[in-house]
């Protein structure tokens, strides 16, 4: 028996009594091999079209997924059938009463206002769903065909998305914004990959600009080869902090002058200003000595980052950065802007007046600075052109804090202004809110590794309190690390991206409530079920794929288990929705619903210690194993590494 071809899938359905195979699946955006709910949708559309005498495509499109289980497995907002005549409420009542009461897949519905809620017939659920999940395993929830967007021409080829994320600044603190970018960007990459896209992950380092000139000046004064060798990132941070402290009075003076409307040229032409600008000028001119120093710092930093990211299972395809943007591309950008008549000289610098050029509200941006050096904006715009040449991307996503919303609107608008509205249409800023009080609550965090070390340590503390369990964990350090990272990540992904949230180390490391440790605990517990029943995962799966009728026993007798199965059937629809809104919380919320449902099953549906016989035990074990697979898939999609024991 197989659920991996359309024919055998419909045979399986015929086997449970769903006789006619609706032919609509050939013409509609239906993905029965990826989404079990689509199979039900097909059958339901068939029934509805016959009852209402409407087009089956219209019926199929009208079917929706309700928000909660009590509202059904699928639902039909009756007005969407666009039937003439009676009021929708009455039409709904009529549809309900004429709905067949012996359909093998659906229960007879009861109208709820204008909604016709459809509940699945619980009986065939395990037999249809569990083999389906066992055969897909890690790919359950991946929608390779759905992701490619165009059901009319599925063979168009894979699409390519660039996801740019993390993007810390060299010699500066890895702050909460970079942490969130890393978490959200990794999720978005996983999600696109799981939907069949080619994904290019880029880390766009802040490795260029005047602050780098300042770091070099600091290095000349405070640099120590010894300390650089010992703790490179910390030392660079330290050097930067010290020189920045010396620089601050000059900066304040300049700001004060500017606020008074005075010219700042004089102030900025001497002291550290002059040294900083001169060094950055040398970098922009490609001076060998300046470049060698810059390259050393950059290489050291990347090396450290790579190993920290690796601990979190994150790899980048490219460590690019502001420094990597070519001067020739920058020239091209400026030439195009000039040709379009939107580039103006202003007091020695070059600007775009967005307000004047059809982008009201975006103000005036300096594109090339007074000292002739490039700006953040200019480099970003040029980087888009280079990436388009190199990757011919269909889409590019920037995972960057909402503090740069305005900035990215300018970047994207500049693409349109220089004559590439097609590029503007392909780029997207995926933003997120702030984390409040992380540094103050965790103490002196400056690097990504600091943050992770501290949460792992906190987690280890909690684990040690349960001495019995702790003794059974094989590699407590590794588990504490995985669970600690989950704690931080789950807290981060709990709300909508745009929300700010306060960092709360005590809450996130708790095993109670909707936390990362709780999720890990649920996975470990499910994992222990097969272990305690002495069942082998692969054997169990292949036995049940061959003998799905063995699943008919028992589990549907309990509403808790039926509801669990109903939730499990939704997972691929949940991932498809996440692809639209790019909200990790959409997946996480689902996983918590699943785990809550599970915890209400454990007491009533026991695997070990059940005395109803071996078949019952196998069916129950299969139910939990299916749920575990869904939980694992969801966790991996979010970038969490599920632990087997804790
Ligand atoms: N390095 C920047 C920062 O720390 C983030 C870079 C965002 N990406 C970009 N293409 N501008 O603020």
């Amino acid at each position: 028996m197989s659920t991996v071809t359309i024919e055998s899938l419909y045979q399986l359905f015929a086997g449970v009594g769903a006789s006619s195979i609706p032919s609509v699946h050939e013409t509609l955006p239906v993905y029965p091999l990826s989404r079990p709910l689509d199979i039900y949708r097909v059958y339901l559309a068939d029934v509805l079209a016959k009852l209402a005498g409407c087009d089956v495509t219209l019926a199929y499109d009208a079917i929706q997924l309700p928000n909660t289980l009590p509202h059904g497995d699928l639902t039909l907002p009756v007005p969407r059938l666009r039937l003439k005549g009676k009021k929708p409420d009455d039409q709904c009542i009529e549809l309900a009463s004429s709905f067949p009461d012996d359909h093998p897949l659906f229960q007879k519905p009861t109208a709820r206002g204008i909604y016709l809620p459809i509940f699945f017939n619980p009986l065939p659920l395990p037999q249809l769903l569990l083999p389906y999940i066992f055969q897909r395993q890690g790919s359950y929830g991946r929608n390779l065909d759905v992701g490619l967007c165009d059901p009319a021409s599925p063979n168009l080829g894979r699409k390519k998305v660039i996801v740019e994320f993390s993007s810390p600044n060299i010699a500066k603190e890895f702050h909460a914004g970079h942490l969130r970018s890393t978490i959200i960007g990794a999720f978005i990459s996983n999600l696109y990959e799981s939907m069949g896209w080619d994904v290019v992950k880029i880390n766009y380092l802040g490795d260029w600009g005047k602050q780098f000139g300042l770091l070099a000046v600091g290095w000349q004064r405070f640099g120590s080869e010894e300390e650089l060798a010992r703790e490179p990132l910390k030392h660079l941070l330290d050097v930067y902090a010290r020189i920045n402290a010396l620089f601050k009075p000059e900066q304040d003076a300049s700001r004060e002058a500017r606020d008074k409307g005075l010219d700042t040229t004089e102030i900025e032409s001497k002291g550290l200003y002059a040294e900083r600008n001169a060094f950055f000028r040398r970098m922009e001119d490609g001076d060998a000595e300046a470049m060698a120093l810059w390259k050393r710092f950059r290489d050291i930093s990347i090396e450290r980052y790579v190993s920290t990211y690796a601990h979190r299972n994150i790899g980048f395809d490219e460590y690019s950065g502001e420094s990597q943007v070519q001067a020739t591309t920058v020239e091209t950008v400026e030439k195009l802007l000039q040709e379009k008549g939107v580039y103006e000289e202003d007091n020695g610098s070059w600007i775009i007046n967005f307000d004047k050029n059809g982008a009201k509200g975006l103000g005036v941006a300096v594109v090339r600075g007074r000292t002739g050096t490039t700006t953040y904006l200019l480099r970003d715009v040029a980087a888009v052109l280079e990436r388009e040449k190199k990757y011919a991307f269909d889409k590019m996503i920037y995972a960057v804090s909402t503090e740069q919303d305005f900035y990215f609107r300018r970047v994207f608008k500049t693409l349109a202004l220089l004559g590439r509205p097609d590029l503007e249409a392909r780029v997207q800023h995926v933003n997120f809110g702030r984390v409040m009080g992380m540094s103050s609550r965790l103490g002196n965090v400056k690097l990504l590794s600091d943050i992770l070390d501290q949460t792992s340590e906190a987690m280890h503390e909690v684990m040690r309190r349960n001495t019995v369990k702790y003794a059974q964990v094989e590699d407590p350090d590794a588990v504490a690390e995985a669970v600690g990272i989950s704690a931080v990540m789950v807290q981060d992904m709990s709300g909508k991206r745009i929300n700010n949230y306060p960092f709360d180390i005590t809450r996130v490391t708790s095993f109670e409530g909707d936390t990362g440790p709780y999720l890990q605990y649920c996975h470990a517990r499910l994992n222990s079920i097969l272990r305690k029943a002495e069942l082998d995962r692969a054997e169990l799966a292949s036995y049940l794929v061959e003998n799905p009728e063995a699943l008919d026993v028992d589990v549907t007798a309990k509403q808790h288990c039926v509801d669990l199965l109903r939730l499990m059937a939704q997972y691929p629809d949940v991932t498809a929705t996440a692809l639209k809104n790019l909200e990790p919380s959409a997946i996480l919320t689902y996983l918590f619903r699943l785990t809550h449902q599970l915890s209400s099953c454990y007491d009533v549906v026991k695997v070990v210690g059940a005395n109803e016989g071996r078949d019952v035990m196998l069916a129950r074990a299969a139910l939990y194993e299916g749920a575990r697979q869904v939980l694992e898939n969801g966790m991996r999609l979010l970038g969490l590494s599920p632990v087997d024991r804790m």
Side-chain angles (χ1 to χ4, degrees):
M1 214 257 334
S2 156
T3 65
V4 293
T5 66
I6 302 270
E7 293 70 30
S8 56
L9 197 57
Y10 283 103
Q11 248 171 41
L12 182 68
F13 271 72
V16 300
S19 47
S20 65
I21 300 165
S23 59
V24 289
H25 75 80
E26 285 151 23
T27 49
L28 291 175
V30 178
Y31 308 98
L33 295 181
S34 302
R35 304 197 292 212
L37 289 187
D38 277 9
I39 314 170
Y40 284 95
R41 285 189 178 96
V42 168
Y43 281 99
L44 182 60
D46 193 49
V47 175
L48 293 173
K50 284 183 187 136
L51 289 183
C54 70
D55 178 50
V56 69
T57 308
L58 185 74
Y60 185 84
D61 289 339
I63 299 169
Q64 295 178 350
L65 187 69
N67 295 335
T68 62
L69 290 179
H71 288 171
D73 292 298
L74 295 170
T75 190
L76 172 77
V78 171
R80 296 205 45 189
L81 291 185
R82 288 190 241 128
L83 303 173
K84 297 256 147 45
K86 299 195 184 103
K87 287 209 314 240
D89 292 60
D90 296 333
Q91 288 167 355
C92 192
I93 293 173
E94 271 175 33
L95 282 173
S97 69
S98 56
F99 202 97
D101 48 19
D102 58 348
H103 197 284
L105 299 181
F106 309 112
Q107 301 181 38
K108 194 174 168 71
T110 314
R112 236 189 84 236
I114 60 158
Y115 285 94
L116 187 67
I118 304 293
F119 290 85
F120 296 159
N121 189 348
L123 269 184
L125 260 182
Q127 204 190 119
L128 297 174
L129 188 62
L130 293 175
Y132 190 98
I133 294 175
F134 289 145
Q135 285 189 326
R136 281 158 189 75
Q137 295 178 28
S139 351
Y140 183 61
R142 300 168 70 109
N143 292 201
L144 297 186
D145 40 4
V146 183
L148 291 178
C149 304
D150 188 359
S153 40
N155 299 321
L156 268 184
R158 290 160 75 83
K159 293 199 178 194
K160 184 173 286 175
V161 62
I162 293 180
V163 186
E164 190 213 276
F165 64 103
S166 202
S167 308
N169 302 321
I170 284 176
K172 282 205 191 162
E173 156 189 15
F174 190 104
H175 56 65
H178 301 124
L179 179 68
R180 293 208 79 182
S181 170
T182 311
I183 293 171
I184 292 167
F187 163 70
I188 293 174
S189 310
N190 291 344
L191 186 62
Y192 270 94
E193 236 155 48
S194 79
M195 299 295 173
W197 287 60
D198 273 335
V199 180
V200 180
K201 289 171 275 188
I202 296 185
N203 195 332
Y204 184 70
L205 299 170
D207 58 358
W208 203 248
K210 290 189 178 150
Q211 83 277 7
F212 217 95
L214 189 63
L215 176 69
V217 175
W219 174 255
Q220 289 154 4
R221 289 200 178 44
F222 312 115
S224 142
E225 287 294 345
E226 243 165 69
E227 284 183 44
L228 188 70
R230 208 157 31 106
E231 282 206 276
L233 293 188
K234 285 227 158 73
H235 185 52
L236 290 182
L237 269 173
D238 184 48
V239 168
Y240 189 80
R242 288 174 73 182
I243 191 70
N244 207 28
L246 289 188
F247 183 50
K248 192 159 177 303
E250 288 186 30
Q251 232 176 354
D252 289 346
S254 170
R255 193 167 302 132
E256 224 168 90
R258 185 156 22 100
D259 290 347
K260 286 191 197 135
L262 300 173
D263 187 9
T264 55
T265 324
E266 163 72 18
I267 299 176
E268 298 190 9
S269 65
K270 41 186 207 215
L272 288 175
Y273 260 117
E275 283 187 54
R276 177 194 77 167
N277 293 352
F279 196 93
F280 183 50
R281 183 73 260 169
R282 279 168 69 196
M283 285 166 58
E284 291 242 286
D285 291 342
D287 172 274
E289 198 192 336
M291 289 303 282
L293 185 68
W294 163 82
K295 187 172 179 320
R296 250 188 94 199
F297 292 163
R298 182 177 196 269
D299 288 349
I300 291 174
S301 306
I302 291 180
E303 193 187 310
R304 286 297 153 129
Y305 281 133
V306 171
S307 80
T308 322
Y309 289 124
H311 270 251
R312 281 231 25 237
N313 303 327
I314 293 175
F316 288 92
D317 299 294
E318 189 181 312
Y319 280 87
S320 100
E322 295 177 41
S323 68
Q324 303 301 296
V325 181
Q326 299 299 307
T328 48
T329 324
V330 168
E331 273 164 33
T332 307
V333 168
E334 293 186 285
K335 215 176 103 227
L336 287 170
L337 289 171
Q338 238 149 13
E339 279 168 18
K340 299 285 169 190
V342 294
Y343 211 28
E344 296 170 51
E345 200 173 355
D346 177 64
N347 240 325
S349 49
W350 285 89
I351 60 163
I352 297 177
N353 187 329
F354 289 99
D355 287 334
K356 244 175 41 188
N357 287 285
K360 257 213 154 18
L362 289 188
V364 177
V366 175
V367 180
R368 192 179 268 278
R370 189 163 59 192
T371 48
T373 45
T374 59
T375 56
Y376 186 46
L377 175 70
L378 183 52
R379 296 191 285 273
D380 249 324
V381 173
V384 179
L385 299 191
E386 288 183 356
R387 291 173 190 179
E388 120 115 330
K389 253 212 200 110
K390 183 163 174 191
Y391 296 109
F393 58 84
D394 297 285
K395 195 175 170 71
M396 175 152 66
I397 287 173
Y398 298 84
V400 183
S401 137
T402 183
E403 278 153 35
Q404 297 192 31
D405 281 357
F406 187 70
Y407 169 73
F408 275 104
R409 282 169 58 205
R410 282 178 163 179
V411 173
F412 297 168
K413 189 42 85 188
T414 305
L415 294 171
L417 287 180
L418 58 74
R420 297 298 307 273
D422 58 316
L423 276 178
E424 184 197 20
R426 275 184 272 158
V427 290
Q428 182 184 0
H429 174 205
V430 174
N431 60 3
F432 50 82
R434 288 185 312 125
V435 188
M436 277 105 66
M438 187 165 80
S439 302
S440 58
R441 287 195 185 87
L442 279 186
N444 196 22
V445 287
K446 289 256 155 41
L447 306 171
L448 175 59
S449 50
D450 290 341
I451 302 167
L452 301 184
D453 286 353
Q454 294 215 25
T455 46
S456 302
E457 195 34 54
M459 212 55 246
H460 213 143
E461 285 288 323
V462 180
M463 285 168 59
R464 275 193 204 99
R465 280 183 223 147
N466 188 333
T467 36
V468 181
K469 266 201 180 168
Y470 186 73
Q472 288 169 357
V473 178
E474 224 167 78
D475 184 350
D477 280 327
V479 172
E481 179 170 54
V483 179
I485 293 170
S486 307
V488 175
M489 290 175 66
V490 165
Q491 153 168 273
D492 195 88
M493 300 190 286
S494 291
K496 288 245 166 68
R497 282 189 272 108
I498 197 70
N499 295 346
N500 303 335
Y501 69 86
F503 193 85
D504 185 345
I505 186 88
T506 325
R507 216 192 78 71
V508 307
T509 51
S510 159
F511 284 67
E512 268 138 56
D514 291 348
T515 65
Y518 171 70
L519 215 52
Q520 288 285 11
Y521 160 78
C522 290
H523 183 266
R525 174 164 188 180
L526 285 167
N527 196 60
S528 75
I529 292 178
L530 292 195
R531 193 171 59 227
K532 288 185 181 145
E534 294 177 353
L535 289 169
D536 178 79
R537 183 167 293 150
E539 271 172 37
L540 177 71
S542 62
Y543 172 72
L544 291 170
V545 168
E546 292 311 318
N547 309 285
E549 47 317 320
L551 287 161
D552 272 355
V553 290
D554 182 67
V555 290
T556 51
K558 313 270 192 331
Q559 189 58 38
H560 299 298
C561 300
V562 173
D563 286 347
L564 180 61
L565 285 161
R566 295 167 65 207
L567 271 175
M568 285 157 69
Q570 290 180 3
Y571 179 61
D573 276 63
V574 171
T575 57
T577 307
L579 186 67
K580 289 194 196 116
N581 58 26
L582 302 180
E583 289 285 357
S585 63
I587 306 288
L588 197 59
T589 308
Y590 169 83
L591 293 183
F592 283 124
R593 286 174 71 199
L594 189 75
T595 51
H596 297 160
Q597 194 58 45
L598 272 161
S599 56
S600 73
C601 289
Y602 291 133
D603 285 343
V604 280
V605 179
K606 293 205 171 5
V607 177
V608 179
N611 39 20
E612 291 92 339
R614 186 161 174 85
D615 270 358
V616 171
M617 184 184 88
L618 287 181
R620 291 176 173 185
L623 175 72
Y624 288 126
E625 171 54 18
R628 190 205 60 77
Q629 184 74 61
V630 176
L631 181 57
E632 174 184 343
N633 293 1
M635 289 176 76
R636 291 203 189 281
L637 185 60
L638 293 174
L640 307 170
S641 314
V643 301
D644 288 344
R645 261 179 205 262
M646 64 183 278

